Amino acid sequence: MTQNNTIKFRKAEISDKDIIWEIIQQSIERRRIDGSTQWQNGYPNEQTVETDIAKNFGFVLTVNDEIAVYVALIFNDEPAYSTIDGAWLTNGEFVVIHRVAVSEKFAGQGLAKKLFDVIEDYVRSQNVHSIKVDTNYDNTAMLKILESKGYTYCGEVLLQSGMRKAYEKVLM
């Protein structure tokens, strides 16, 4: 990626749905090829994307106005997180990161890491100081990002798809 690319973070719009769904399908396939069981059971699906957008959870990172990364950000609402085998770092307001998906066209360019930086800035701008996220044990790419971005392993949470590693980062 060249230096003069314009990277923007914005809410997803319903007109973005088809490209977002395409990006998620690419990520589902990438997980499968990597040997991960994450996202291999029909979730997330096209309805998930529609719901995210309708509830204002969906966000995109664009490069020169082209959607490169999709993410769902959910404020203070992840029922699965109320029970953790371990302990969260904080008990106050938080944002949950779900459904990070990078377009094949932009894969390997560091945009997932960039996304986490942008999310931190956005969350701070909303006066929230905790980000929580979970991932599969075998999603090595996401585990590496969480480690590199200073997330703390807090324990395990049970989601519909099974036990997940749960992380939190407290923003100062």
Side-chain angles (χ1 to χ4, degrees):
M1 228 171 25
T2 58
Q3 288 306 101
N4 53 4
N5 283 318
T6 306
I7 298 176
K8 292 185 181 149
F9 183 67
R10 64 169 173 82
K11 277 204 158 115
E13 296 162 19
I14 198 65
S15 59
D16 300 325
K17 181 183 72 89
D18 292 343
I19 184 71
I20 291 167
W21 174 232
E22 192 178 311
I23 290 169
I24 287 178
Q25 287 176 298
Q26 292 169 358
S27 293
I28 290 169
E29 180 61 10
R30 206 170 318 132
R31 291 286 83 69
R32 188 187 68 74
I33 291 168
D34 290 347
S36 173
T37 58
Q38 190 166 351
W39 292 6
Q40 301 303 307
N41 63 355
Y43 166 89
N45 54 45
E46 205 165 354
Q47 184 61 53
T48 312
V49 176
E50 281 182 27
T51 302
D52 282 350
I53 295 170
K55 291 184 171 180
N56 290 314
F57 295 162
F59 288 83
V60 293
L61 197 68
T62 62
V63 176
N64 299 332
D65 296 322
E66 187 177 348
I67 296 174
V69 188
Y70 175 74
V71 65
L73 297 181
I74 304 168
F75 282 80
N76 300 313
D77 185 27
E78 177 46 82
Y81 286 10
S82 61
T83 307
I84 182 169
D85 183 4
W88 294 111
L89 303 176
T90 65
N91 294 314
E93 289 191 279
F94 61 94
V95 169
V96 178
I97 298 175
H98 276 320
R99 296 182 277 289
V100 174
V102 179
S103 164
E104 278 299 317
K105 180 177 174 181
F106 294 96
Q109 297 180 24
L111 285 174
K113 283 185 177 176
K114 173 76 176 159
L115 173 73
F116 275 77
D117 295 338
V118 171
I119 289 171
E120 286 183 28
D121 291 341
Y122 175 73
V123 170
R124 273 192 201 95
S125 79
Q126 304 299 305
N127 288 313
V128 175
H129 298 283
S130 165
I131 300 174
K132 295 179 180 179
V133 61
D134 66 82
T135 194
N136 231 47
Y137 284 84
D138 57 14
N139 188 340
T140 50
M142 183 56 70
L143 291 168
K144 280 182 186 151
I145 290 170
L146 294 173
E147 192 174 302
S148 75
K149 290 297 173 187
Y151 281 73
T152 301
Y153 175 69
C154 294
E156 297 180 329
V157 291
L158 179 62
L159 275 81
Q160 289 168 332
S161 54
M163 292 305 274
R164 296 293 198 74
K165 292 181 98 168
Y167 291 81
E168 182 176 8
K169 183 169 184 177
V170 180
L171 305 176
M172 297 303 158

